[in-house]
Amino acid sequence: MVHLPDKSILDTIGNTPLVKLQKMSPNPLVDIFVKLESFSPGASIKDRIVKFIIEDAEKTGKLKKGGVIIENTSGNTGAAAAMIAAIKGYRCILTMPDKVSLEKQNALQAFGAEIIICPTSAAPGSKEHYVEKAKEIAAKTPLSFRINQYDNPLNPLAHYLSTGPEIWKQMEGNIDYFVAAASTGGTISGTSRYLKEQDPTIKVIMPDPVGSIFAEYFRTKKIPEGGSCTYFVEGIGEDHLTQAMDFDLVDDVIQVNDSKSFQAARRLAREEGILAGGSSGSNLFACLEIAQKATERTRIVTILPDSGLKYLSKIFDDEWMLKNHLMQ
C-alpha cells in the first residue's frame, strides 16, 4: 500500500537546521553556531509565533470563519500571517513602516494580503505609527483578530516550546552564550527562559541597534526620550517597550550600527555561503565581539532570523550601500 504524504506547508514550520560557522570565528577557542530560520516556509523565525498564535485564536474562538487577521509588522510576521491566512482562507491586512524592503512588501501581496505603509518616523502612540494604525483598523473591522505580537504572551511561549528545546537538543546542552537581538522580544525571552532553566550559567547577550531604546532601558531601567527606529536594519530594536520582552533574562547588551550589521551579513554570504538578513548581521557582529574577548573554550549560539533574499535591493546591493554611506 502506498502511503502518500498528508502534511501541509504549516507542518514544515520549525525544526530548522543549526550549523557551525567554518571561517568567521576570530578565535580558535570559539565555535559559533547559527540557527537557520530561513528554512521555515515563510523564510523567517516569525512563522513559529504566527502559527502558534493563530491556532490558539481558532481554538479559543477569537478567530472564526470569515475572520480578518490584522497585524503591525516589519515584514516577517506579516509574511507568516499572509501565508497562513492564504492557507486557511482568512483575509489579511498588514501595516508596516516605510523602511521595509520592497521584497518583503511584494511577498505579502503575493500571498494576497493588503498592506498599508506608514512613516517610519512616526512617533510611538501617534495616529500614523504603524502599531496604532493596526489597532485602528482592527477596531473598525468586523470579525477581526490582531496577532498583537509585541504584547502577546503567546509570542515568547512559542519560542519557549519550540526554539529553545530545539537549540538545547541540537547543541546537546553544550552552550556558553546565546545571542539574539529583539524587537517584540519574543525570541530572546522565550528561548532564553528555556535555556536558562536547563543551565543557569548560559549567558544571554542582546545586540541592539543605535537609536533603539532597549540598550539604555536595560542599563538604567528608564525609558529614554527620542528613541526612533529610523536606522536601516529591519526587525530589531524598538521605540517603545513591549510586554513580550523580559529584560531580566538578558545578561548584557551590545550596541551595533547599520554598517557593522550589514558588513557582517555580507561577510556571512561571501565566507560561509549563508545568505541572511541585516538582523542576522547584528547577531553575528555580537558573536564576533564575544569571540574576540574569549580566553577559554567557548560555544556561542545565535539566531539568523530570516533570508537575505528579502534584502537583495538593499544590503546586498553595492550601489544602495554606497548611497547610504554603509560601505567600509
Side-chain angles (χ1 to χ4, degrees), residues 56 61 138 153 195 199 225 269:
D56 177 81
L195 294 177
D199 180 357
E225 296 181 3

Side-chain angles (χ1 to χ4, degrees), residues 50-209:
V50 175
K51 179 188 179 204
F52 190 68
I53 291 171
I54 287 178
E55 287 180 347
D56 177 81
E58 291 174 326
K59 290 173 186 174
T60 57
K62 296 174 185 174
L63 180 59
K64 300 174 182 175
K65 186 176 181 180
V68 184
I69 298 171
I70 297 172
E71 184 60 345
N72 39 271
T73 176
S74 58
N76 285 329
T77 299
M83 174 184 68
I84 294 171
I87 295 167
K88 292 178 172 286
Y90 298 117
R91 185 181 166 203
C92 186
I93 304 174
L94 304 164
T95 64
M96 63 190 62
D98 54 16
K99 76 174 184 180
V100 170
S101 72
L102 187 60
E103 289 91 339
K104 284 184 181 177
Q105 294 181 36
N106 290 343
L108 306 186
Q109 292 175 312
F111 284 123
E114 304 165 44
I115 64 172
I116 296 168
I117 307 299
C118 303
T120 300
S121 58
S126 68
K127 193 174 181 180
E128 293 306 309
H129 193 273
Y130 73 114
V131 175
E132 297 305 316
K133 183 65 70 175
K135 292 178 182 177
E136 177 189 342
I137 295 168
K140 295 178 180 178
T141 306
L143 296 176
S144 67
F145 171 73
R146 193 164 77 90
I147 293 168
N148 191 24
Q149 59 174 322
Y150 288 94
D151 300 321
N152 193 330
L154 296 181
N155 176 353
L157 180 59
H159 293 291
Y160 178 86
L161 295 173
S162 68
T163 317
E166 286 176 28
I167 289 173
W168 182 256
K169 182 178 180 181
Q170 289 168 319
M171 290 297 297
E172 297 181 349
N174 296 305
I175 306 167
D176 298 298
Y177 287 88
F178 174 63
V179 175
S183 177
T184 68
T187 298
I188 191 169
S189 299
T191 306
S192 298
R193 182 175 299 281
Y194 181 87
L195 294 177
K196 282 179 175 284
E197 284 180 2
Q198 313 313 307
D199 180 357
T201 68
I202 294 172
K203 298 296 184 185
V204 173
I205 309 299
M206 183 176 76
D208 194 48

Side-chain angles (χ1 to χ4, degrees), residues 33 36 89 101 142 163-164 176 179 189 201 207 229 232 234 241 247 259 276 280:
F33 299 85
L36 305 174
S101 72
T163 317
D176 298 298
V179 175
S189 299
T201 68
C229 294
F232 287 112
E234 298 178 28
L241 295 182
F247 286 93
S259 179
S280 298

Side-chain angles (χ1 to χ4, degrees), residues 232 258-259 263 318-328:
F232 287 112
D258 289 322
S259 179
Q263 291 300 330
D318 288 354
E319 186 175 339
W320 184 88
M321 290 283 288
L322 287 167
K323 176 183 175 182
N324 290 288
H325 311 289
L326 295 168
M327 291 287 258
Q328 291 182 341

